[in-house]
Amino acid sequence: MSAASGVDTEVLVIGAGVTGIHQLYRAKQAGFSAQLWEAGDGVGGVWFWNRYPGARLDSESYTYGYLFSKELFDGWKWQERFAGQPENEGYFNYTVDQLGLRPHIRFGARVTSAVYDDASATWLVRAGDGTQVRTRFLVAATGVLSVPAFPPVPGREDFEGVAHHTGLWPHEPVAFHGKRVAVVGTGASGVQIIPAILDDVASLTVYQRTPNWCTPLNNEPITPTQQAELRADFTELRRTLDASVSGFLHERSDRRAFDDSRQERWAFYEKMWVSPGFAKVISHYADMLTDETANADWCAFMADKIRSLVDDPATAELLIPDNHGWAGKRPPFVTGYFEAYNDPKVSLVDLRRTPMEEVTRTGIRTSDGLREFDVIVWASGFDFGTGALNRMGIRGRDGLALEDYWADGPHTFMGLMSHGFPNLFFPGGPHGAAGNNPRYAEDQVNFVADALEHLRKHGHRSMEVPAEAAEKWDRMVAELAAYSSFGEHSYFFGANIAGKPRSFLLNPGGRPKLREARDEVLQSSYAGFFS
């Protein structure tokens, strides 16, 4: 410990995902002493933990990586428009080595407590491996998809076969060949793994609670010509992404659905169907997410597509959502998902009609009986937004527990800070924006880094959001959440976790509201934030 500063490190970052790596880089670049703790044994965040077959980006790879260095950008050649897990994990390892960050990362260090001391304006942070550090600034870049969730079904631990959650996938390959396999869940992970393992299994039973509006990912290799164009156009690519509300390159349309005839709309919908990834959201008709009739029209088109892809009419109907429209939940993007149900090895169980009752030593029992399996894949999602932060044992001023302060949902400012928790930041956490997450989170990372430099320059000891600024942000979230396309049945409201308060976990104002709040703080020279 430095006798002069009374701390072991000035900045402690938690989490070696896309946000944490960037925050560590900014801290080291500014001359702070800094460490990063990571619970796992490698870097990559979700791309370290989610290594199941079929795991893949649905943001274009070259828009997902870091853009603060052309040299770093030029040194990595993405092979696919939407990179798979091995390529993503490789990219983050390349990054930390190119930037010289690996010596500053401690692996296998899962935080068990973080306690603020007002007298010294420092945090004492402990990890499960026995490590403890006193730091001035704690940056919890733990992500929103880092705590796997399981359905509250009895007997899950009694199963004697192989069972894995997609968000805790082992490094060793899981043997599927000739096995009777169950996949529980048809969200983003489930719809990826189902077609990926289909050829190996003896049988595949899919347990579905509610279907999602899945559309084709439309992945493709990046050609050498495209590689050269990406490097030549780097400055423009970065400028466009920085100006984009969603953090994507896809162009927005200003045309409204019913400006076109039905024939014209159906032709446009066909164009959308074969477009890549989130182009189906961003480049769609301008009123697709605000006009219920337009949304229902597109849903009718998608329903017809599903019926054309799935041979069995009854199965097709079970795969068509009936409780939400397009983007009422986060839309998954798929490759060969609907076609998988045409394989006689695959069966679909509707958990709304036949609820899951228990997991036994040999399989899964629903109200219509027991099915036996060798392997169960839990593709049952995450405790989105607040899951990791509420489990870290964070105690702010006067011992205030973060999980108590957030008992009715997160209270934040810019999705970055909470009143009562000085010198604590959580970029990439709750009240972030829907879209290409690294592009939104980089705004938060840069705000934190610049604020710490300002604090150091002016000799302040701590930074805390004033109560009135946090309350204003909370009001904005509550007021604009009513206009979001995401319904309360979405995990963006915590609907997938039993007992979790129904609170909107995103910033419904997106990047514009984040930057508006940032600019207000900067224009006031951080008035009221420092002491």
Side-chain angles (χ1 to χ4, degrees), residues 32 42 61 95 102 130 149 226 246 265 296 352 395 467 530:
F32 287 102
S61 311
T95 297
R102 196 173 295 274
Q226 290 169 328
S246 59
R265 292 197 310 277
R352 293 181 294 182
R395 301 294 179 263
F530 292 127

Side-chain angles (χ1 to χ4, degrees), residues 67-409:
L67 300 176
F68 54 76
S69 164
K70 188 175 190 308
E71 180 181 0
L72 189 69
F73 183 87
D74 287 347
W76 183 265
K77 291 186 177 181
W78 294 101
Q79 298 304 302
E80 296 180 273
R81 179 190 287 269
F82 302 104
Q85 182 276 332
E87 188 174 3
N88 294 324
E89 185 182 16
Y91 170 76
F92 289 110
N93 277 285
Y94 153 79
T95 297
V96 298
D97 291 331
Q98 285 294 113
L99 299 178
L101 298 178
R102 196 173 295 274
H104 308 288
I105 301 175
R106 182 180 185 87
F107 296 106
R110 184 180 294 277
V111 173
T112 56
S113 72
V115 179
Y116 182 71
D117 176 60
D118 200 35
S120 62
T122 61
W123 287 87
L124 182 62
V125 187
R126 293 184 172 92
D129 66 354
T131 306
Q132 75 172 33
V133 159
R134 186 168 294 280
T135 183
R136 285 193 72 191
F137 308 110
L138 178 60
V139 183
T142 49
V144 291
L145 297 170
S146 51
V147 176
F150 293 88
V153 56
R156 185 170 57 82
E157 301 295 337
D158 298 334
F159 182 62
E160 294 179 352
V162 174
H164 296 292
H165 193 288
T166 51
L168 291 170
W169 205 258
H171 284 244
E172 304 77 24
V174 175
F176 287 108
H177 185 72
K179 304 293 186 182
R180 299 166 300 170
V181 178
V183 174
V184 181
T186 55
S189 300
V191 299
Q192 287 185 329
I193 196 171
I194 287 165
I197 64 175
L198 179 59
D199 289 346
D200 288 335
V201 302
S203 66
L204 178 57
T205 304
V206 179
Y207 289 85
Q208 173 183 270
R209 184 177 60 177
T210 52
N212 285 291
W213 288 113
C214 300
T215 55
L217 179 63
N218 296 318
N219 193 22
E220 62 184 4
I222 299 176
T223 67
T225 299
Q226 290 169 328
Q227 296 280 9
E229 290 172 349
L230 286 171
R231 278 146 187 78
D233 297 341
F234 171 77
T235 300
E236 180 62 18
L237 178 144
R238 181 167 60 182
R239 186 199 66 77
T240 301
L241 289 171
D242 185 62
S244 168
V245 171
S246 59
F248 289 101
L249 292 175
H250 308 300
E251 294 184 1
R252 290 185 174 273
S253 170
D254 58 2
R255 192 162 185 81
R256 302 173 70 84
F258 295 103
D259 290 343
D260 289 344
S261 67
R262 185 185 188 282
Q263 183 177 359
E264 290 170 329
R265 292 197 310 277
W266 246 245
F268 181 74
Y269 293 158
E270 190 67 45
K271 178 182 176 182
M272 287 291 96
W273 185 261
V274 299
S275 66
F278 274 96
K280 300 177 191 67
V281 179
I282 299 161
S283 301
H284 220 306
Y285 286 119
D287 56 347
M288 184 51 59
L289 301 184
T290 57
D291 185 320
E292 291 185 5
T293 306
N295 194 295
D297 197 53
W298 164 237
C299 289
F301 173 89
M302 290 188 290
D304 284 350
K305 280 289 189 182
I306 295 168
R307 295 182 184 107
S308 73
L309 292 170
V310 179
D311 294 342
D312 177 58
T315 300
E317 293 307 312
L318 290 178
L319 294 169
I320 297 171
D322 59 8
N323 69 342
H324 67 280
W326 171 243
K329 295 183 176 182
R330 186 193 189 281
F333 300 102
V334 298
T335 302
Y337 171 64
F338 291 117
E339 296 86 340
Y341 291 95
N342 298 330
D343 192 307
K345 294 186 295 186
V346 180
S347 58
L348 178 63
V349 176
D350 181 359
L351 292 175
R352 293 181 294 182
R353 297 181 182 178
T354 56
M356 190 178 295
E357 296 180 342
E358 65 172 337
V359 179
T360 72
R361 293 184 303 103
T362 60
I364 296 174
R365 186 186 307 279
T366 64
S367 60
D368 70 344
L370 174 69
R371 292 175 175 83
E372 296 190 332
F373 301 107
D374 303 303
V375 181
I376 297 177
V377 175
W378 296 100
S380 44
F382 298 86
D383 186 350
F384 181 85
T386 56
L389 291 166
N390 277 342
R391 288 168 170 82
M392 285 173 60
I394 295 174
R395 301 294 179 263
R397 184 181 289 111
D398 301 323
L400 177 61
L402 184 68
E403 63 270 27
D404 291 340
Y405 188 58
W406 287 2
D408 60 348

